Amino acid sequence: MSQFVFEGRPVPFEPGQSIGAALTAAGIRSWRTTRFGGRPRGLYCGIGVCFDCLVTVNDRPSLRACMVEAREGDTVEGGDRDA
Amino acid sequence: MRDLVVIGAGPAGLAAAVAAATAGLDVALVDAGRRPGGQYYRHHAAETGRLHHDWDAFVRLRGALDRLTYLPGHRVWHVEDGFTVHALTGDRDERPVRIGARALVVATGAHDRSLPFPGWDLPGVLTAGGAQALLKGDRVTAGERIVVAGTGPFLLPVATGLAGAGATIAGVFEANRPYGFARHVARHPDKAREGAGYAALLARHRIPYRTGHAVVAAHGDDRVEAVTVARLDRDWAPVRERVIACDTVAVGHGFTPQLELPLQLGCATRMDADGSLVVAVDVAQRTSVPGVYAAGETTGVGGAQLSLVEGELAGLAVAEAAGGVAPDPAGVQRLLARRRRLRAFAAAMHAAYPVRPGWMDRLRDDTLVCRCEEVTCGRLAEAAELGATGPRSAKLLSRAGMGRCQGRVCGYATAWLTTGVCGRIPGPEDLLGTARRPIAQPVRLRDLAGEPENPRDENHPINPA
Amino acid sequence: MVIVGGGVVGAACAYYAARAGLTVTVVERGAVAGGTTGAGEGNLLVSDKEPGPELDLAVLSSARWAELAAEDGLGAAVEYEPKGGLVVAETEEGVAGLAGLAVEQRAAGVDAVEVPAAELTGYEPHLAPDLAGGMFYPQDAQVQPMLAAAHLLRASGAEVRTGVTVTGMLRSGDRVTGVRTDRGDLAAGAVVNAAGTWGGEVAALAGVTVPILPRRGFILVTEPLPPLIRHKVYAAEYVANVASDDEGLESSAVVEGTPAGTILIGASRERVGFDRTLSMAALRRLARQAIRLFPALGDVAAIRAYCGFRPYCPDHLPVIGPDPRAEGLLHACGHEGAGIGLAAATGHLLAQSLTGAPPDLDLHPFRPDRFPEHP
């Protein structure tokens, strides 16, 4: 099984899975906090509409985890630019 | 310059693109998804159709994609009259693309309609469609002990699908009591079969199904740990409450069509029976803008079968208008009859599964309405005191709907809450105020700056690097 | 008195008139701040004005806004930020031009601090490194324009009637004695036309001509970011190369952060009537000019764009004061792109005029009957 690294820990994924799906399958439910209230957020709409699930992948910020396919060796961090 | 660009590769878009291409047109099918099928036929790379109804119809359409140019992973952010489709491709190293078109079919589908409630922003609370997308597209169950709630027949495939994948469904809570709907279902043998299938699966997995009940609050610190479920009266006011432990909640209250592209083009809209703003189309799926057609949920939420029919009709109409093959009149008559039947079914569904105003009683002053800008119900009330008279002015005074999602998630709720304080209910103008998005997807300034001077040049892609 | 228009100018008129002891009703056909105010950036600028009546008005207004912001809770409520403006030049000629303008502006009461090229990044760390120099204007400030209008209205105590459209004027002989609306008549000792871009239509109801036309502007809004840009920053000269098909479109980027974290990039200027269609040419220009000033913005996403219609008069000056052609009617409109900034002084001067107090500024350049009747 392939893996990417999320905040220092390996997360397995099946080829074709989104980063958001792989995080959810690994039991990780939130990966960013809101900029005013500091509240945790993860997947909500799951289809690219709500922008709650933003991640930084290989230093590219503000990507929707539900829309980005995981790739072997990706480095994923939660959050967007404002975090 | 293509004869036709179809935007959206769900049932409607696929059917439109294949019909037009089969009639001889040069068609490009542009879609944000990684695989064709949209939300309904969303599937895993190794899908065999086990999780889908009408899978054969999809396989047939997918098999015809070699007749056209299929462009997956293209997010359209703007469409200019004339027509130029501006898209971004690449899920991480994004690149701008432009496609010229003589005609357009807008088949951008819909997303779950959200109604806020205390705790709905906790991780583990998902839209019903989101849980379904995870399951069908990624083969991931959203949680282990799941509450499914909201209103509409869509809750059934979500609950039974998750149960079939091994999750425990703590309950399905349907807010309405849609007793009369069964006779409409009985008139459609395929829908009746589908319904009977769900009933059998609910029984097999021992899933409690309660009508007249709703999730009125979610609890937890950093993730959802329990929900309060209430029995509702006719207007959805809570009557009796209890708490149910769960690690996931999947909530859906119907769907909101994605109208940003037709609104950019100036297409006329109307309010549908479910309270959603939809594109107004004529008998041939033509919008008010010449050369622009719309099909599927954008013209009124009605399900995949209706979308397939509308898409095919749109594709045939475009081909005929372009001077291609005139469609077989008997075939068109059959499609029109089917569309009539399915639209009547959709109208019955909307009548049986309405959203009742009692959902607003669940909100407290500190309940978030706009998730992006973290605008609470109380701040919306302040905006009304300051002179807001509807969702657009409330947005200017409270920032509700100004965030990254541009009001897609909170638009419906904001429209009800902000008009409610003025003693009215949302009209088409209010919904328009939350639906206009001149930039439909985030676009980097570098890519905007790189747009060529003459928008009519076909130059695909813009930045070959 | 009755004020027609619930934008920031109408709100400021209501505020100062009420403070002068008048009883005020504001009639707004839409919502508070729903017109051009709601499409503005909230610029309170003295830096962009050439010496003359508009600069005098801006300097007066800058002081009035600072007073308003000092009132209890009002500054925070309207997100008043006295952040200062930084105007930058790409060339030595541009720097010289700025210096020349600053000499004249200082004579009118403007603070202007020369900023050599080497010191630019001390003001704005992310500015492009190859700029020739700039001028810092400490008086330039910012408010959130919709909140400004709403809170001024609230503080005025005026009766605000939204969703009410003025359909005619009540007359007694030649005198204007109130307004007729779709919800009934409102008698008044004075009627103030603060209808902004639609001020010409309101004037026409009183049988007088005020030539106000719309000038469209687009604003780009980025995704929210950590604080990146400290001041209002804009270029002294046109940055982008102007293509021939863009004729009629002018733009020079004004880049600024907001308390919400988004960066606003304005503003284009076009005379195209009330057309709301997104102009790709305008957005392209704004993006290019913003990146020219702040290269790091290239990787930042725009998430929204909106447009508004500035009310402009042929001589680019607002119309402020009593109309000698229609006794009882006063005007406070036509501020083009500076309405937020000029609102405070406009309201102040109008209140002085209504109460017979000596005006702080000669209203002659802004008189409503200064235009030829048949242009």
Side-chain angles (χ1 to χ4, degrees):
Chain A
M1 204 173 215
S2 314
Q3 287 185 342
F4 62 82
V5 175
F6 170 73
E7 292 178 354
R9 69 181 255 204
V11 173
F13 65 92
E14 282 179 29
Q17 265 179 346
S18 74
I19 285 173
L23 289 170
T24 301
I28 300 166
R29 307 299 290 268
S30 61
W31 45 84
R32 65 175 271 263
T33 52
T34 59
R35 65 189 203 277
F36 300 118
R39 299 292 297 150
R41 294 280 171 87
L43 287 184
Y44 175 67
C45 81
I47 60 170
V49 168
C50 75
F51 293 82
D52 254 2
C53 66
L54 298 179
V55 285
T56 297
V57 182
N58 305 332
D59 295 327
R60 171 94 167 79
S62 305
L63 297 172
R64 284 165 273 184
C66 67
M67 292 185 75
V68 180
E69 223 169 72
R71 284 187 209 153
E72 179 69 41
D74 273 345
T75 301
V76 176
E77 280 152 272
D80 47 357
R81 289 168 197 276
D82 60 62
Chain B
M1 177 76 84
R2 306 278 179 176
D3 293 331
L4 171 65
V5 170
V6 178
I7 305 171
L14 276 170
V18 169
T22 304
L25 266 56
D26 175 19
V27 178
L29 174 59
V30 181
D31 188 51
R34 290 168 276 154
R35 286 183 281 277
Q39 301 310 331
Y40 188 77
Y41 291 124
R42 185 183 274 265
H43 58 282
H44 191 265
E47 185 58 58
T48 58
R50 183 177 53 89
L51 288 164
H52 297 81
H53 287 274
D54 278 344
W55 184 248
D56 293 349
F58 172 66
V59 170
R60 239 182 351 263
L61 290 168
R62 187 175 59 179
L65 284 178
D66 58 2
R67 296 173 207 166
L68 51 90
T69 304
Y70 166 53
L71 300 169
H74 281 60
R75 300 180 295 285
V76 177
W77 64 272
H78 192 75
V79 183
E80 276 180 287
D81 198 8
F83 303 96
T84 306
V85 177
H86 298 260
L88 300 162
T89 183
D91 65 2
R92 46 184 85 195
D93 303 310
E94 164 173 294
R95 190 164 54 78
V97 171
R98 285 177 314 125
I99 307 149
R102 292 187 187 88
L104 290 177
V105 172
V106 176
T108 43
H111 56 78
D112 289 81
R113 181 155 67 187
S114 288
L115 300 182
F117 56 89
W120 73 304
D121 56 320
L122 282 171
V125 179
L126 283 83
T127 64
Q132 182 79 330
L134 269 178
L135 183 67
K136 294 205 297 195
D138 298 284
R139 291 192 177 161
V140 171
T141 50
E144 286 171 13
R145 187 175 161 80
I146 305 176
V147 166
V148 178
T151 190
F154 179 58
L155 302 182
L156 296 172
V158 172
T160 54
L162 288 167
T168 300
I169 304 301
V172 178
F173 301 103
E174 162 61 59
N176 282 297
R177 295 176 176 84
Y179 303 126
F181 189 53
R183 69 190 156 83
H184 295 281
V185 175
R187 281 188 217 135
H188 294 256
D190 48 338
K191 307 257 184 213
R193 252 194 319 278
E194 191 179 335
Y198 294 137
L201 286 169
L202 288 173
R204 186 202 300 169
H205 296 291
R206 295 196 170 77
I207 301 172
Y209 177 81
R210 302 274 178 272
T211 58
H213 282 72
V215 167
V216 295
H219 314 286
D221 288 330
D222 291 336
R223 55 188 291 170
V224 63
E225 287 159 10
V227 291
T228 298
V229 170
R231 194 180 131 77
L232 304 180
D233 72 9
R234 275 182 54 85
D235 296 321
W236 286 20
V239 177
R240 203 169 46 244
E241 298 186 347
R242 67 191 156 114
V243 173
I244 295 179
C246 62
D247 60 26
T248 302
V249 189
V251 197
H253 290 91
F255 298 91
T256 297
Q258 309 208 95
L259 296 196
E260 35 279 300
L261 303 181
L263 289 177
Q264 288 170 2
L265 289 160
C267 297
T269 53
R270 63 179 180 86
M271 214 159 144
D272 203 15
D274 62 348
S276 286
L277 199 68
V278 301
V279 182
V281 290
D282 69 4
V283 69
Q285 304 292 140
R286 283 184 291 242
T287 72
S288 63
V289 176
V292 181
Y293 299 69
E297 312 292 45
T298 53
T299 71
V301 171
Q305 283 72 33
L306 178 56
S307 296
L308 286 167
V309 173
E310 289 190 357
E312 188 170 352
L313 282 167
L316 293 172
V318 175
E320 189 174 18
V325 187
D328 160 40
V332 170
Q333 283 310 315
R334 270 196 304 278
L335 286 170
L336 290 174
R338 188 158 161 72
R339 185 176 64 182
R340 222 167 18 246
R341 265 167 58 76
L342 288 166
R343 281 187 178 167
F345 181 80
M349 181 183 72
H350 294 319
Y353 296 94
V355 171
R356 305 255 179 221
W359 68 267
M360 289 180 274
D361 301 344
R362 300 167 199 169
L363 308 181
R364 303 186 308 235
D365 267 4
D366 65 350
T367 304
L368 278 193
V369 178
C370 168
R371 301 166 68 97
C372 298
E373 297 301 296
E374 299 170 74
V375 180
T376 60
C377 207
R379 292 239 323 268
L380 278 183
E382 278 170 33
E385 273 174 42
L386 283 171
T389 56
R392 197 187 90 85
S393 45
K395 167 177 161 178
L396 297 176
L397 290 169
S398 72
R399 298 194 61 79
M402 258 195 203
R404 286 184 195 265
C405 95
Q406 294 194 68
R408 286 172 171 95
V409 175
C410 72
Y412 180 83
T414 305
W416 275 88
L417 291 166
T418 56
T419 53
V421 293
C422 304
R424 55 192 190 93
I425 62 170
E429 280 303 314
D430 298 302
L431 295 175
L432 269 174
T434 72
R436 284 206 175 93
R437 295 171 196 109
I439 296 180
Q441 295 284 329
V443 52
R444 284 183 299 189
L445 291 177
R446 180 205 298 157
D447 295 333
L448 258 183
E451 282 279 329
E453 289 297 335
N454 184 345
R456 296 284 171 269
D457 287 346
E458 174 99 2
N459 176 12
H460 168 99
I462 299 169
N463 296 336
Chain C
M1 62 184 270
V2 164
I3 296 172
V4 184
V8 71
V9 173
C13 289
Y15 178 85
Y16 284 103
R19 220 172 58 168
L22 298 167
T23 306
V24 181
T25 300
V26 176
V27 181
E28 162 61 52
R29 72 176 166 178
V32 166
T36 306
T37 298
E41 296 170 281
N43 287 330
L44 315 181
L45 300 185
V46 295
S47 57
D48 66 338
K49 307 210 171 34
E50 295 190 351
E54 199 192 7
L55 180 60
D56 296 338
L57 191 61
V59 171
L60 178 66
S61 214
S62 165
R64 290 287 91 86
W65 271 116
E67 285 170 17
L68 288 171
E71 287 184 21
D72 193 26
L74 200 54
V78 305
E79 298 182 6
Y80 177 78
E81 288 186 280
K83 52 165 54 171
L86 182 66
V87 188
V88 297
E90 273 194 276
T91 61
E92 289 307 328
E93 298 81 70
V95 172
L98 281 180
L101 178 61
V103 169
E104 296 181 86
Q105 289 172 322
R106 284 186 193 112
V110 172
D111 279 347
V113 182
E114 272 180 50
V115 183
E119 291 174 23
L120 280 173
T121 51
Y123 282 81
E124 288 292 345
H126 299 280
L127 264 182
D130 58 343
L131 296 165
M135 192 69 69
F136 181 65
Y137 292 86
Q139 286 153 308
D140 282 356
Q142 176 172 314
V143 290
Q144 204 273 30
M146 297 75 88
L147 291 175
H151 282 279
L152 282 176
L153 279 176
R154 172 185 275 184
S156 76
E159 182 189 353
V160 180
R161 300 187 56 182
T162 52
V164 176
T165 304
V166 171
T167 56
M169 296 288 165
L170 304 179
R171 307 297 284 251
S172 168
D174 282 344
R175 194 181 159 74
V176 173
T177 56
V179 293
R180 172 150 293 159
T181 78
D182 58 352
R183 305 278 182 86
D185 293 352
L186 285 171
V191 173
V192 175
N193 171 17
T197 312
W198 299 270
E201 294 165 34
V202 172
L205 295 177
V208 294
T209 306
V210 175
I212 295 176
L213 290 168
R215 196 169 193 195
R216 184 172 75 177
F218 279 99
I219 292 174
L220 270 173
V221 186
T222 71
E223 60 187 317
L225 300 168
L228 185 76
I229 295 166
R230 300 170 180 174
H231 307 94
K232 287 180 178 285
V233 182
Y234 63 97
E237 61 269 278
Y238 280 48
V239 182
N241 48 341
V242 178
S244 58
D245 66 329
D246 288 343
E247 212 171 293
L249 167 66
E250 299 165 31
S251 76
S252 57
V254 180
V255 184
E256 63 193 296
T258 66
T262 53
I263 292 171
L264 303 183
I265 301 167
S268 58
R269 290 170 191 269
E270 285 171 280
R271 293 172 203 176
V272 291
F274 287 103
D275 179 2
R276 290 194 170 272
T277 314
L278 190 76
S279 160
M280 207 58 82
L283 296 197
R284 181 170 63 232
R285 282 270 204 99
L286 291 174
R288 281 182 190 167
Q289 293 172 343
I291 294 170
R292 173 68 187 94
L293 293 177
F294 294 97
L297 289 179
D299 282 329
V300 171
I303 61 168
R304 291 196 293 128
Y306 58 92
C307 77
F309 300 97
R310 304 175 185 88
Y312 84 90
C313 290
D315 60 3
H316 300 285
L317 289 177
V319 180
I320 304 171
D323 194 324
R325 301 164 299 180
E327 201 189 337
L329 177 69
L330 297 91
H331 301 278
C333 52
H335 294 75
E336 198 160 340
I340 317 294
L342 301 180
T346 300
H348 173 75
L349 290 167
L350 209 75
Q352 287 180 325
S353 171
L354 280 162
T355 56
D360 284 358
L361 202 65
D362 179 14
L363 290 179
H364 190 73
F366 311 116
R367 67 194 186 284
D369 58 343
R370 67 184 190 268
F371 307 99
E373 274 301 316
H374 300 287

